[in-house]
Amino acid sequence: MQAVLNYPKITVIRPQGCLNAANALEFERDMTTALVQNGISVLVVDLVAVELLDSAGLMALLSTHKLALSLGRGFRLCAVTPSIRIIFELTQLDRVFEILDAEVDLAAT
């Protein structure tokens, strides 16, 4: 479902396709697993390849964000496409999440 990169203290997850009720639990489990690893200080979710995001996908992101806060770790979104960004803006979740503009370069690894 996604590519996972590990940098020192940073883990990047790049989901692809749809983040919806059909796969939100698996997505949340993947993010949680990455976040609770020893030595990880920041989890970055690169949304460049996400085509559809529904409420279940948003809840997975929110739950992971809450977990990151409770663990004292960073949680960021990056490369949010305009069609997905509008969802964050309409729900005002763009005020909750730290959203970076740049895409993570997977070829750099």
Side-chain angles (χ1 to χ4, degrees), residues 82-97:
S83 60
I84 300 298
R85 185 177 287 269
I86 193 78
I87 296 168
F88 289 102
E89 292 171 357
L90 289 171
T91 58
Q92 297 185 354
L93 290 174
D94 59 328
R95 299 177 184 182
V96 174
F97 294 110

Side-chain angles (χ1 to χ4, degrees), residues 54-67:
D54 74 1
S55 60
L58 281 174
M59 286 305 300
L61 290 168
L62 277 170
S63 295
T64 306
H65 175 69
K66 183 178 177 181
L67 175 62

Side-chain angles (χ1 to χ4, degrees), residues 1-77:
M1 178 177 119
Q2 59 211 1
V4 177
L5 294 174
N6 288 310
Y7 296 101
K9 299 191 178 200
I10 299 172
T11 295
V12 179
I13 294 180
R14 180 182 278 176
Q16 299 176 356
C18 301
L19 293 179
N20 56 24
N23 60 12
L25 287 176
E26 178 186 357
F27 176 53
E28 184 175 350
R29 185 173 40 246
D30 291 345
M31 290 188 297
T32 299
T33 300
L35 191 61
V36 299
Q37 290 177 2
N38 288 332
I40 298 300
S41 60
V42 178
L43 176 62
V44 178
V45 181
D46 186 336
L47 296 175
V48 71
V50 173
E51 300 165 3
L52 176 80
L53 178 68
D54 74 1
S55 60
L58 281 174
M59 286 305 300
L61 290 168
L62 277 170
S63 295
T64 306
H65 175 69
K66 183 178 177 181
L67 175 62
L69 289 175
S70 72
L71 295 172
R73 298 184 180 173
F75 182 81
R76 292 168 182 70
L77 307 178

